[in-house]
Amino acid sequence: MVDTTTPRTTRRRIETRRRLLDSAVEVFSEKGFGRTTVDDVCTRAGFTRGAFYSNFVSLDELFLTVWEERSDAFLASAEATVDEANQDPVTSLEEGIDRLLELSAIDDRWARIEWEFTAHALRTPGLREVMAAREERISELLLRILDRAMNHVNLRITDRAAFAAALIAVHDGTTVQMLIEPDPDAARERRRNLFLAVVQTYTEAAAS
Amino acid sequence: MVDTTTPRTTRRRIETRRRLLDSAVEVFSEKGFGRTTVDDVCTRAGFTRGAFYSNFVSLDELFLTVWEERSDAFLASAEATVDEANQDPVTSLEEGIDRLLELSAIDDRWARIEWEFTAHALRTPGLREVMAAREERISELLLRILDRAMNHVNLRITDRAAFAAALIAVHDGTTVQMLIEPDPDAARERRRNLFLAVVQTYTEAAAS
DNA sequence: CACCTTCAATACGTTTTTGTATCCAATACA
DNA sequence: TGTATTGGATACAAAAACGTATTGAAGGTG
């Protein structure tokens, strides 16, 4: 009796999945998920549909895989940055904000895909929980970063959950503005100020 | 010589367009714009595709029309509320926030469509400007409301453009959270507090 | 190196979706 | 009320997209 459900992971398979996933990012960001066909992705990757169906069961699965992979990569790289940052603590609130913004800086392409995925998740019951769980992980990571940073600037977080949620909300809300507004620099500056305001709202002077 | 480009607006035509537009809202929110076919919309409305092609040239046009119509309706109703509010001025900051949130309260269905439209606009050059213009109008309306309200609670807005943009960003960002998080009440409460914080950030005591 | 497995290519039929051209019932108008 | 126009239904052809069954070469295994 052989396991027919999960195919073995050979080198070839890994490479093929890799190219399909990368192509998916390109095509999804250009045409949107809904208007993308299986063939679009395959053609872009230089495969035929045979390759696709041998690696995924549906575009939905592909989209979820792409999204989870990239989200994981983001979290991992963020973790790494945090570790580095421990050797080089922030000296001011402003510097902390800038580091945070730099950390979450994402390219337009990926921002579009995230937006699209959220829209997709909003109408797909199973995905809502997946997104909520992911947001929870981001929230935790964020708080780990903030805890340390706040120490260095002598501040104390008042409401941890609300703080993290506020930062995420502001991040998301300002992202569209930066992509849509004719003057992206102004939007960037406004975003920075808003972040600063949020930090000041959810922290207070720490007893030293 | 008769004008063949713009068909006359007869009663029947108006009614048909109405039903198609309403059905589009339903279907788009259920399946997403990208996965919706012309026939989906027609069937839901009780028409055949003939009706559609006699009223619209493409699904893109339909989507834009739906979005603009609803946005206009929102702006108009908001204007009306503002006029009413003039007879009944706010007495506290908290009350003002609650009114603002009530004003922008939208149903899940429409929230999903707006998200979807934004995703669509982010990759459709022409639509980006349309959205930017719309945001500008919302910003103006918002400031008209705020100017009056701030008077009553004896506050002064420091940076008008940044204030409006911040409120819109926070509104958008917290909307997803309310739709995705397992505990919507907590999200609602956090949203309220965040709004309050933003108001306090972008205002100062007015010289009386 | 010979054998066996794997997996993308190919080929196939089917379903879905599209847009148009034509027709006829509803409706506007005089 | 009679007549002309309008607008949605119908029918049609074409294209797009799907999913599967089969094949053969590449890659792994003993």
Side-chain angles (χ1 to χ4, degrees):
Chain A
M1 220 45 193
V2 187
D3 180 13
T4 55
T5 56
T6 309
R8 240 162 83 197
T9 53
T10 65
R11 290 177 197 172
R12 184 149 76 125
R13 166 146 261 144
I14 291 173
E15 168 67 8
T16 303
R17 283 180 65 95
R18 175 77 282 116
R19 276 165 62 191
L20 284 172
L21 288 165
D22 290 346
S23 301
V25 171
E26 292 180 21
V27 183
F28 287 162
S29 77
E30 288 169 18
K31 311 183 53 169
F33 170 60
R35 293 260 168 109
T36 297
T37 69
V38 173
D39 216 59
D40 286 332
V41 177
C42 296
T43 303
R44 179 70 61 107
F47 290 114
T48 63
R49 274 179 323 173
F52 177 86
Y53 286 109
S54 155
N55 281 282
F56 302 94
V57 305
S58 66
L59 274 183
D60 273 59
E61 196 210 51
L62 175 65
F63 197 16
L64 177 57
T65 306
V66 164
W67 181 79
E68 293 206 305
E69 191 184 72
R70 298 267 167 154
S71 297
D72 286 344
F74 166 72
L75 280 173
S77 92
E79 293 274 9
T81 311
V82 174
D83 294 340
E84 280 176 36
N86 283 343
Q87 267 90 47
D88 177 22
V90 294
T91 55
S92 74
L93 204 52
E94 284 75 8
E95 196 203 330
I97 298 288
D98 287 337
R99 283 215 203 154
L100 211 56
L101 287 175
E102 200 180 332
L103 183 66
S104 72
I106 42 177
D107 57 319
D108 296 10
R109 173 187 288 173
W110 185 245
R112 268 181 265 140
I113 290 187
E114 283 213 298
W115 207 266
E116 186 97 12
F117 187 80
T118 301
H120 180 46
L122 284 179
R123 64 184 128 74
T124 312
L127 289 186
R128 275 209 297 274
E129 290 102 62
V130 174
M131 276 208 76
R134 174 75 42 171
E135 189 143 327
E136 183 56 30
R137 284 190 57 191
I138 292 175
S139 177
E140 280 164 17
L141 171 63
L142 206 45
L143 284 170
R144 231 176 305 145
I145 295 174
L146 294 169
D147 279 334
R148 181 150 313 251
M150 289 301 131
N151 253 342
H152 292 291
V153 294
N154 235 41
L155 288 173
R156 203 180 64 80
I157 302 171
T158 51
D159 183 340
R160 298 167 57 80
F163 189 22
L167 287 175
I168 293 173
V170 166
H171 175 268
D172 293 350
T174 51
T175 296
V176 222
Q177 293 183 345
M178 289 181 40
L179 291 176
I180 279 186
E181 283 192 25
D183 184 355
D185 285 334
R188 174 184 304 273
E189 183 60 20
R190 285 205 310 260
R191 160 184 263 193
R192 192 170 177 276
N193 288 331
L194 186 51
F195 261 89
L196 201 57
V198 170
V199 172
Q200 282 162 346
T201 300
Y202 291 91
T203 58
E204 61 187 14
S208 60
Chain B
M1 220 45 192
V2 187
D3 179 13
T4 55
T5 56
T6 310
R8 243 160 81 198
T9 53
T10 66
R11 291 176 197 174
R12 185 150 75 125
R13 167 146 259 143
I14 290 172
E15 168 67 9
T16 303
R17 283 179 65 94
R18 173 78 284 114
R19 278 166 60 192
L20 284 172
L21 288 165
D22 290 345
S23 301
V25 171
E26 293 180 21
V27 183
F28 287 164
S29 76
E30 289 169 16
K31 311 182 54 169
F33 169 60
R35 293 266 167 106
T36 297
T37 68
V38 172
D39 215 59
D40 287 332
V41 177
C42 297
T43 303
R44 179 69 60 106
F47 290 113
T48 62
R49 288 200 333 277
F52 177 86
Y53 286 110
S54 154
N55 281 283
F56 302 93
V57 305
S58 66
L59 274 182
D60 271 61
E61 195 210 54
L62 176 65
F63 197 17
L64 178 57
T65 307
V66 163
W67 182 79
E68 293 205 305
E69 192 184 70
R70 299 266 167 154
S71 296
D72 285 344
F74 165 72
L75 279 173
S77 91
E79 293 272 11
T81 312
V82 174
D83 292 343
E84 280 176 34
N86 283 344
Q87 267 90 47
D88 177 21
V90 293
T91 56
S92 74
L93 204 52
E94 284 76 8
E95 195 201 332
I97 299 288
D98 287 335
R99 282 214 202 154
L100 211 55
L101 286 174
E102 201 180 332
L103 183 67
S104 72
I106 43 177
D107 57 319
D108 297 9
R109 174 186 288 172
W110 185 244
R112 267 179 267 140
I113 290 186
E114 283 213 298
W115 207 266
E116 186 98 12
F117 187 79
T118 302
H120 180 46
L122 284 180
R123 65 184 125 75
T124 313
L127 290 185
R128 276 210 295 273
E129 288 101 62
V130 174
M131 277 207 76
R134 173 75 42 170
E135 190 144 324
E136 182 56 31
R137 285 190 58 192
I138 293 175
S139 176
E140 281 164 16
L141 172 63
L142 206 46
L143 284 169
R144 233 176 302 144
I145 296 174
L146 294 168
D147 278 334
R148 181 149 315 247
M150 289 301 129
N151 253 342
H152 292 293
V153 294
N154 236 40
L155 288 174
R156 204 179 64 79
I157 302 171
T158 52
D159 183 339
R160 299 167 57 79
F163 188 22
L167 286 174
I168 293 174
V170 166
H171 174 269
D172 293 350
T174 52
T175 296
V176 223
Q177 293 183 343
M178 290 182 41
L179 291 175
I180 279 187
E181 283 192 24
D183 184 354
D185 285 333
R188 176 185 303 273
E189 184 60 19
R190 283 206 309 260
R191 159 184 264 192
R192 192 171 176 275
N193 288 332
L194 186 50
F195 262 88
L196 202 57
V198 170
V199 172
Q200 284 164 343
T201 300
Y202 290 92
T203 58
E204 61 186 14
S208 59

